[in-house]
Amino acid sequence: MSEAFIRFVRELYGEPRAGIPLHAPVMGTREKARVGEAIDSSFVSSVGAFVTEFERQVAAFVGSRYAVATVNGTAGLHAALVVAGVQAGDMVLTQSLTFIATCNAIHYCGADPVFIDVDEDTLGLSPEALASWLEEHAEQREDGAYEPASGRRIRACVPMHTLGHPVRIEKIAEICAAWGIELVEDAAEALGSTRGGRHCGTFGRLGVFSFNGNKIITTGGGGMIVTDDEDLARRAKHLTTTAKKPHPWAFEHDEIGFNYRLPNLNAAFGVAQMERLPELMASKREVAAAYARWCKAQGMAFVHEPAGTRSNYWLNALRLADEAERDAFLAATNAAGVMTRPLWTPMHRLPMYAQARRGPLPVTERLAATVVNIPSSARMAGG
């Protein structure tokens, strides 16, 4: 199986010998030109026309009223949680099957994650598991949800759209609304993904995207908070700009803020990448379709976009029989120069989050043991 897969991937990417990465950025002359314009403007840090333009483009693309650019997705998620009201001692419901940034951002607020199981098809937070945990462990008061045993506020819920596949976010939004829990979407991997025609990251009051070097578009590092709430957007921008009060020359700050704004150089790169996004999405869906056809012919389980969604297929994935088969596949492909990787080690297995509260996690454990990410770069040249 591994040898046939390696041959197929090398044919798919037209690369007979050299290493094939998991996900490489597409960039070229237009990125160089935009960055050159930023250099010529002399605005290279967190103030400049490209920051504003990048925010405008992302907001328009996802259908949100406001966007606030940040230095990376983790910073964006941290700031969004603060803006959503998450405080020290709060509990935040999320998934264990995620990149560690999700939980770290919660921890930066002094809050604690509570791990809820995921769905087999979406790979993301299960609405049924969420509702079940709340019914068993929470009570509703006038100002929101609490855990009676500890008296702690259950302040927010952070589902993550795993590998770009949309979770059943409308159901999660309904549950959160019923319990008075803030919904903050970790859409780091989901730029271009929609559920029912609505873009991921726009179902909650706040959503966050990432533009790390391996994402569908990149600014090298970078993130974006999106919201339809003008007050939340204003506060997010203020907090991420060190909470500096506007003034022609004085440096006055009215609270503890964060130096989280995206530099103009990175934003210039992002503006050029946004010009490529439709082509990138089309190419990545073609790659996914090729994998799906091959897997069907081989009797292998390909991870398809969930029903009712359109995924950006950020990272394609296979489901293997068990952990032993997964590890053998990983060893063989990587030894042959075709990069593959498992999903993240579930957060509840990591020492810093091993003591976190959690519900039953059987699907999380199964997916972590059997899912493998495979090369997913777009097949298009820079220029």
Side-chain angles (χ1 to χ4, degrees):
M1 177 184 66
S2 299
E3 291 182 2
F5 175 79
I6 292 164
R7 287 195 298 271
F8 174 74
V9 173
R10 291 200 172 280
E11 291 172 3
L12 180 66
Y13 284 101
E15 183 47 74
R17 286 177 294 277
I20 298 177
L22 194 68
H23 194 283
V26 176
M27 51 193 174
T29 55
R30 70 180 74 182
E31 285 77 12
K32 292 178 182 178
R34 293 294 193 183
V35 171
E37 290 176 38
I39 292 171
D40 291 341
S41 75
S42 81
F43 289 97
V44 297
S45 292
S46 57
V47 175
F50 282 111
V51 177
T52 303
E53 177 60 15
F54 189 42
E55 290 172 333
R56 186 198 67 77
Q57 288 184 353
V58 172
F61 182 81
V62 306
S64 66
R65 292 181 63 195
Y66 306 101
V68 178
T70 60
V71 71
N72 55 54
T74 309
L77 190 55
H78 176 210
L81 289 168
V82 173
V83 168
V86 175
Q87 302 173 25
D90 285 345
M91 302 169 73
V92 177
L93 308 174
T94 190
Q95 58 202 66
S96 179
L97 195 67
T98 185
F99 181 56
I100 196 169
T102 308
C103 293
N104 285 352
I106 294 168
H107 185 74
Y108 298 161
C109 298
D112 290 313
V114 177
F115 297 128
I116 308 298
D117 210 4
V118 296
D119 282 331
E120 293 272 1
D121 59 340
T122 70
L123 315 181
L125 194 71
S126 165
E128 288 77 18
L130 175 64
S132 177
W133 190 91
L134 286 166
E135 289 294 337
E136 184 175 353
H137 297 284
E139 71 175 16
Q140 198 164 18
R141 301 178 185 174
E142 289 186 5
D143 59 340
Y146 286 80
E147 182 190 46
S150 65
R152 298 173 69 187
R153 178 78 178 265
I154 304 168
R155 184 78 62 172
C157 178
V158 184
M160 199 269 278
H161 300 285
T162 308
L163 310 183
H165 298 307
V167 303
R168 288 187 289 150
I169 190 64
E170 73 286 356
K171 297 295 184 184
I172 294 171
E174 290 175 6
I175 295 167
C176 289
W179 282 88
I181 295 171
E182 289 285 357
L183 176 58
V184 178
E185 289 178 71
D186 185 344
E189 302 169 0
L191 185 67
S193 297
T194 59
R195 185 169 188 93
R198 184 173 174 180
H199 203 288
C200 293
T202 66
F203 288 79
R205 285 219 294 164
L206 296 146
V208 181
F209 297 93
S210 170
F211 308 113
N212 188 38
N214 65 352
K215 295 301 189 290
I216 186 167
I217 69 165
T218 183
T219 57
M224 192 76 74
I225 303 168
V226 297
T227 182
D228 285 340
D229 188 307
E230 183 178 5
D231 291 336
L232 292 181
R234 185 184 299 111
R235 177 154 165 73
K237 186 172 182 179
H238 183 62
L239 275 179
T240 57
T241 317
T242 66
K244 182 181 181 297
K245 295 171 66 175
H247 193 279
W249 60 82
F251 282 84
E252 294 185 16
H253 306 259
D254 54 12
E255 60 181 312
I256 296 174
F258 314 107
N259 190 12
Y260 280 177
R261 288 289 281 165
L262 183 71
N264 200 45
L265 281 177
N266 298 76
F269 203 101
V271 167
Q273 287 274 284
M274 286 296 292
E275 295 171 4
R276 296 186 188 276
L277 185 52
E279 293 176 87
L280 287 166
M281 290 175 57
S283 178
K284 288 178 69 60
R285 289 187 63 83
E286 289 173 2
V287 169
Y291 275 131
R293 291 190 297 269
W294 186 85
C295 287
K296 184 177 181 179
Q298 299 293 318
M300 295 182 69
F302 178 72
V303 177
H304 293 272
E305 61 191 358
T309 75
R310 186 172 180 83
S311 174
N312 66 5
Y313 281 105
W314 170 57
L315 287 184
N316 292 294
L318 307 176
R319 287 280 305 267
L320 300 178
D322 51 36
E323 193 168 356
E325 185 176 69
R326 180 203 70 178
D327 290 347
F329 183 86
L330 289 167
T333 50
N334 282 284
V338 174
M339 186 177 179
T340 58
R341 75 171 195 198
L343 292 178
W344 316 274
T345 299
M347 297 298 101
H348 68 278
R349 293 190 203 162
L350 300 179
M352 64 287 288
Y353 298 117
Q355 303 305 313
R357 297 287 305 282
R358 60 180 182 267
L361 301 173
V363 181
T364 295
E365 297 286 5
R366 279 200 301 276
L367 292 173
T370 58
V371 174
V372 171
N373 291 130
I374 55 181
S376 302
S377 304
R379 292 185 300 173
M380 53 186 286

